Amino acid sequence: QVQLEESGGGSVQAGGSLRLACAASGATDNIRCLGWLRQAPGKEHEGIGRISLREGSTNYADAVKGRFTISQNDATNTVYLQMNSLKPEDTAAYYCAAETRPYISCTSDLSAWEYRGQGTHVTVSS
């Protein structure tokens, strides 16, 4: 079992920055992929970025490419989401997700991954 706990959400004005953190605990050695998804009010979950731990590769949704960056700290089992140039449309609940199953690709639908945290809210005002 893996537990994920997000932190760092809050309110910021458009153009500002926030950094979210996701601390993983439990069977962290089994984690193959880590990612972030979000859900805006009244909308479906949207995968925004992921990192393959074996390859170290990252990819991002077009909506956040160039503004958001995922990084990790292996020593603390923490993955970060640095969000710059925030826009009001980035307002959402942000969730960390993890995948340990070897038959699930790190490029698969983030909303279907095995583990998800409780989320942290981000509000961007104009």
Side-chain angles (χ1 to χ4, degrees), residues 6 21 29 31-32 45 49 61 68 88 102 106 110-111 117 119 121-122:
E6 303 93 339
D29 287 348
I31 297 175
R32 297 174 46 252
H45 284 95
F68 290 12
C106 289
L110 270 159
S111 64
H121 286 270
V122 172

Side-chain angles (χ1 to χ4, degrees), residues 21-34:
C22 171
S25 60
T28 57
D29 287 348
N30 296 334
I31 297 175
R32 297 174 46 252
C33 326
L34 285 164

Side-chain angles (χ1 to χ4, degrees), residues 28-51:
T28 57
D29 287 348
N30 296 334
I31 297 175
R32 297 174 46 252
C33 326
L34 285 164
W36 291 90
L37 62 163
R38 66 187 180 186
Q39 187 174 29
K43 295 189 176 181
E44 297 289 324
H45 284 95
E46 174 190 19
I48 56 176
R50 80 267 319 279
I51 181 168

Side-chain angles (χ1 to χ4, degrees), residues 6-98:
E6 303 93 339
S7 61
S11 297
V12 64
Q13 288 192 326
S17 299
L18 278 175
R19 188 176 78 156
L20 306 183
C22 171
S25 60
T28 57
D29 287 348
N30 296 334
I31 297 175
R32 297 174 46 252
C33 326
L34 285 164
W36 291 90
L37 62 163
R38 66 187 180 186
Q39 187 174 29
K43 295 189 176 181
E44 297 289 324
H45 284 95
E46 174 190 19
I48 56 176
R50 80 267 319 279
I51 181 168
S52 169
L53 299 189
R54 179 174 301 177
E55 300 171 3
S57 59
T58 56
N59 62 64
Y60 302 91
D62 288 343
V64 306
K65 199 172 293 183
R67 299 188 298 123
F68 290 12
T69 304
I70 293 175
S71 61
Q72 60 174 123
N73 184 324
D74 288 337
T76 61
N77 292 316
T78 302
V79 62
Y80 299 96
L81 179 67
Q82 177 67 43
M83 305 186 294
N84 298 328
S85 302
L86 282 161
K87 305 175 182 180
E89 51 264 44
D90 294 319
T91 295
Y94 284 72
Y95 301 89
C96 176

